[in-house]
Amino acid sequence: MFVVVCGAATGVAYLLLQWLPHQLADAEAKQLKPVERLSHLNNVRGMVLQTAAGLAVLGGLVYTARGYVLSRQGQITDRYAGAVSQLSSEHLDARLGGVFALQRLAGDSRQDAASIAQVLSSFVVRRRPARDLTPSHGVTVLAAPGPPTPTPRLEPDVQAALDVLGAMGPATRVELAEADLRGAECLGLSFERADMRRCLLRGSDLRRASLRESELDGTDLRGARLEGANLAGARLIRADLRGAEIREAVFTDCSLSSARLEEVWASSVSLRGADLFSARLDGARLDGADLRDATLINARLVRADLTGANLSGADLHGADLAGTVLVAADLSNARSLTVEQLNSAVLGQLTRLPAALSHLLNELSRTDHPGTGIGIT
């Protein structure tokens, strides 16, 4: 081996000091005097040595950088494995440490953020599975009489995992289907395009949260706080939002077919282009709501308050408007609106009706027949 190394070193030295300098200097050296030719050759030789030294330094830097990258990847792998193992600990402090270690790791290694989101999502679902609350064999469990049970708070480690997931940004997909997240504190967090189907989010705080294009089919959101939340393009088919507060929330282009929205507080909510087919909105507060181009086919709006709401372009085919307050509402371009529907609703002189039905305002203002619409001057 020593002989081979010495031979290789001798070859490199000959190449750099003799052969290559002569090859580079021959073209010009032929026209120079012997003394000048030797000086020129030494200059070329110095240039070759400087170039070789620079390449050697560059190669060393590349080798060092490669070693650093491999070392860092090994450290990240070790940190990843250690953090994941902590999530299985029986001790709360260890689990919290694992969650925060993964948070730090996601910040240090963006290429691992997606897998970290999956790990934390699995941790939450495993710790709080919603299926444990589902009665077996189709038996309905009746609540015991007495005061309502307060909404439980999440364990600190589960809440911490939600905080980390909600702060990772829309580039990561959160998968929390069938998780029990009752009482979760998700103020201002982001769960865009998340899978949260059949979750229990009863009494949770989702104010100003971003749930754009998320899947929330069959999710229990009873009594949840969604003021200012963004659910544009989300799917909430058969979701239960009874008693929820969704003031000034954005449900633009949402799918809310067969959803339950009785008694929701939805003042100034944006439901433009939303699909509310067969949705139940009995007693809902929808004053000032934006329902332009919404689908309200077969929807129940019994005793709902739509004062000042904009229903221009909304499809009201078969909608139940019994006792619905439409004072100052804009129905000028509403579709499939009938006289029978208006006769059961509460109208006012500021209510804007389609041109073919605008004469009803004067007629209704003069009637006092029980069960007919009421004209408010």
Side-chain angles (χ1 to χ4, degrees), residues 332-346:
S332 55
N333 293 309
R335 294 176 289 162
S336 306
L337 190 62
T338 66
V339 174
E340 290 75 14
Q341 287 173 312
L342 293 174
N343 281 339
S344 63
V346 179

Side-chain angles (χ1 to χ4, degrees), residues 32 45 113 118 123 150 157 161 166 234 275 288:
L32 300 175
R45 185 177 289 119
Q118 291 182 353
F123 170 73
D157 53 341
D275 180 6

Side-chain angles (χ1 to χ4, degrees), residues 10-86:
T10 302
V12 170
Y14 174 78
L15 178 68
L16 295 177
L17 297 175
Q18 294 295 326
W19 184 81
L20 188 58
H22 280 285
Q23 292 296 319
L24 295 174
D26 278 349
E28 298 181 9
K30 293 177 180 180
Q31 304 174 5
L32 300 175
K33 296 178 179 180
V35 176
E36 294 175 341
R37 187 183 306 162
L38 179 61
S39 177
H40 178 65
L41 181 62
N42 287 333
N43 291 335
V44 172
R45 185 177 289 119
M47 181 186 66
V48 170
L49 290 175
Q50 289 178 358
T51 303
L55 292 174
V57 171
L58 180 61
L61 291 175
V62 171
Y63 181 80
T64 302
R66 181 174 178 275
Y68 171 76
V69 170
L70 293 175
S71 175
R72 186 170 183 272
Q73 289 178 346
Q75 292 176 358
I76 289 175
T77 301
D78 292 341
R79 289 167 58 191
Y80 200 141
V84 172
S85 65
Q86 285 182 269

